[in-house]
């Protein structure tokens, strides 16, 4: 693979880039709250949110039911969708930078399947550890996702000692298929009360509420801080481990940190929304095309773009055939699969020519 070049930006270009993505985030949130089976005027949405943020009375011309729809249903749903999109895009960016491959993401590496299995095990056996409480589910998901990643790397090393990226991805696809089969087996062994997990596994942020926002938020913040702390080293690692060592990077330490941070993000996202594929593949690739491969800025910009994408996909999922709601994972697969094919073709052609 051709070694990437770090694109540098002036301060004004960075301000424009961050400002544009923040504006997109605001527009996506406003649209996600305003549009639905019961349309709510955008001005009313702003008034309701402003009243709750700044603690002043909601205007009398706004019905109480409208306030409840915004604050109890749509706003937490939109915030959760955005946080899930941020987590998946951020982890995908880290995986792609570390493995130097645009085809790497939590889904293709099997991390999502491992995290999903961890969540299903918690629900299947009714596990709730006293010192973790409601955090038992995301913690198990994160642990299973991280263990899956370690298993994928170990298996790939057995197949090929020099551990090529293609071998890692193929090992990830194999592990993902196996873990998906185990998850299906657990669901098949349960009664009807747990069959609803199938819908959850397809991906959804419907009726989750603020409790799920509180679950994912600390893990997203922790994962973001871990990856940002290793952003410079990730730039070096994207040129190759040998080049990174030559300039004094502790490859083992920072590789472990990046893998842990990305697994933390993937596991927490899967725990609150189920398995949603292709977000961690498509969004980082698009962000890299726009902003280059400097992870100091690529990580936060890709994260925000992922949040915007997930809010818009969730909006499409609940309105395209309203009142029936489609699983988000289905839509991301429909959107992401052809884009994945294009990325794969371009990647293979570039390898042939280089």
């Amino acid at each position: 693979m051709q070694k990437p070049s770090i694109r540098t930006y002036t301060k004004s270009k960075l301000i424009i880039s961050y400002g544009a993505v923040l504006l997109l985030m605001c527009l996506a949130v406003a649209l996600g709250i305003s549009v639905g089976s019961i349309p709510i005027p955008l001005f009313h949405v702003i008034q309701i949110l402003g009243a709750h943020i700044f603690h002043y009375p909601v205007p009398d011309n706004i019905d109480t039911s409208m306030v409840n729809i915004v604050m109890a249903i749509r706003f937490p749903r939109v915030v959760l969708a955005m946080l899930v999109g941020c987590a998946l895009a951020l982890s995908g960016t880290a995986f792609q930078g570390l493995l130097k491959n645009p085809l790497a993401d939590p889904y293709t590496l099997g991390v999502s399947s491992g995290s999903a299995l961890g969540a299903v095990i918690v629900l299947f056996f009714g596990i709730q550890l006293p010192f973790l409480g409601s955090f038992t589910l995301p913690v198990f998901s994160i642990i299973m996702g991280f263990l899956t990643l370690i298993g994928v790397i170990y298996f790939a090393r057995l197949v090929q000692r020099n551990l090529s990226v293609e071998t890692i991805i193929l090992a990830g696809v194999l592990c993902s298929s196996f873990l998906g089969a185990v998850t299906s087996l657990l669901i098949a062994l349960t009664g009807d009360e747990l069959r609803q997990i199938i819908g959850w596994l397809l991906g959804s942020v419907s009726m989750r509420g603020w409790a799920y926002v509180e679950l994912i938020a600390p893990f997203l913040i922790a994962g973001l801080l871990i990856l940002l702390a290793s952003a410079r080293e990730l730039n070096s690692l994207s040129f190759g481990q040998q080049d990174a060592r030559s300039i004094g990077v502790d490859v083992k330490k920072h590789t472990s940190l990046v893998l842990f941070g990305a697994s933390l993000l993937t596991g927490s996202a899967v725990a609150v929304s189920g398995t949603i594929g292709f977000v961690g593949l498509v969004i980082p690739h698009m962000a890299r095309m726009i902003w280059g491969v400097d992870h100091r800025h690529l990580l936060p910009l890709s994260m925000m773009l992922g949040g915007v994408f997930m809010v818009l996909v969730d909006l499409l999922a609940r309105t395209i055939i309203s009142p029936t709601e489609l699983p988000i994972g289905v839509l991301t697969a429909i959107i992401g699969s052809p884009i994945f094919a294009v990325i794969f073709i371009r990647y293979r052609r570039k390898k042939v020519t280089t």
Side-chain angles (χ1 to χ4, degrees):
M1 182 178 178
Q2 188 178 3
K3 291 184 178 182
S5 58
I6 304 297
R7 189 187 307 174
T8 57
Y9 287 97
T10 62
K11 186 178 290 186
S12 60
K13 286 184 178 179
L14 285 174
I15 291 173
I16 291 171
S17 296
Y18 281 98
V21 179
L22 284 172
L23 179 61
L24 281 176
M25 290 182 78
C26 294
L27 291 174
V29 169
L31 195 64
I33 298 173
S34 179
V35 177
S37 55
I38 301 176
I40 300 175
L42 186 57
F43 184 65
H44 286 178
V45 171
I46 295 172
Q47 285 181 308
I48 294 169
L49 293 179
H52 282 79
I53 292 171
F54 298 107
H55 304 289
Y56 62 77
V58 176
D60 295 333
N61 64 321
I62 299 178
D63 190 74
T64 305
S65 61
M66 194 177 294
V67 176
N68 291 333
I69 290 172
V70 170
M71 297 308 302
I73 300 175
R74 291 190 189 171
F75 190 35
R77 176 174 183 152
V78 166
V79 171
L80 182 60
M82 180 159 288
L83 294 182
V84 169
C86 288
L88 293 175
L90 194 55
S91 62
T93 304
F95 282 132
Q96 290 178 14
L98 184 65
L99 297 176
K100 302 176 295 176
N101 192 301
L103 303 178
D105 84 322
Y107 193 79
T108 56
L109 291 176
V111 182
S112 292
S113 297
S115 297
L117 178 59
V120 170
I121 288 173
V122 170
L123 297 171
F124 183 83
F125 293 105
I127 300 171
Q128 187 168 32
L129 301 179
F131 55 91
L132 288 177
S134 60
F135 284 92
T136 302
L137 183 63
V139 167
F140 263 74
S141 288
I142 289 164
I143 292 172
M144 281 297 295
F146 191 63
L147 291 176
T148 300
L149 186 60
I150 293 173
V152 166
I153 294 173
Y154 178 73
F155 178 73
R157 194 179 293 276
L158 289 177
V159 175
Q160 189 178 34
R161 298 293 295 179
N162 62 356
L163 208 64
S164 70
V165 175
E166 288 82 358
T167 304
I168 294 175
I169 292 177
L170 288 173
V173 172
L174 178 62
C175 289
S176 180
S177 299
F178 173 74
L179 294 172
V182 175
T183 302
S184 298
L185 177 63
L186 286 178
I187 293 174
L189 293 175
T190 61
D192 292 336
E193 69 276 3
L194 204 58
R195 294 187 187 276
Q196 61 183 343
I197 296 178
I198 297 174
W200 172 77
L201 286 173
L202 291 174
S204 176
V205 291
S206 175
M207 304 305 293
R208 296 291 199 265
W210 290 111
Y212 283 79
V213 173
E214 293 169 0
L215 278 179
I216 189 176
F219 295 105
L220 174 60
I221 294 170
L224 174 62
L225 292 177
I226 290 171
L227 293 181
L228 286 179
S230 299
R232 290 181 181 274
E233 290 75 14
L234 194 53
N235 283 343
S236 302
L237 289 168
S238 65
F239 285 93
Q241 292 189 0
Q242 189 172 356
D243 290 341
R245 285 193 188 95
S246 68
I247 59 173
V249 174
D250 188 337
V251 171
K252 187 175 181 179
K253 173 187 173 182
H254 288 286
T255 298
S256 300
L257 280 174
V258 171
L259 291 177
F260 176 71
S263 299
L264 196 71
L265 293 162
T266 303
S268 60
V270 170
V272 299
S273 65
T275 307
I276 299 175
F278 295 102
V279 178
L281 174 75
V282 174
I283 298 302
H285 186 73
M286 292 174 59
R288 195 175 290 105
M289 290 173 62
I290 299 171
W291 294 295
V293 293
D294 185 350
H295 290 86
R296 293 174 299 171
H297 302 294
L298 180 62
L299 286 167
L301 288 168
S302 179
M303 178 189 73
M304 292 188 287
L305 196 62
V308 171
F309 176 76
M310 186 60 68
V311 171
L312 295 179
V313 171
D314 178 54
L315 176 60
L316 187 64
R318 59 186 166 89
T319 57
I320 190 170
I321 53 171
S322 182
T324 304
E325 185 173 315
L326 293 174
I328 299 178
V330 172
L331 280 182
T332 56
I334 291 173
I335 296 169
S337 296
I339 299 177
F340 177 86
V342 172
I343 295 172
F344 182 67
I345 292 169
R346 290 183 57 187
Y347 173 69
R348 295 303 300 178
R349 286 179 177 174
K350 185 180 291 186
K351 283 206 71 173
V352 169
T353 55
T354 56

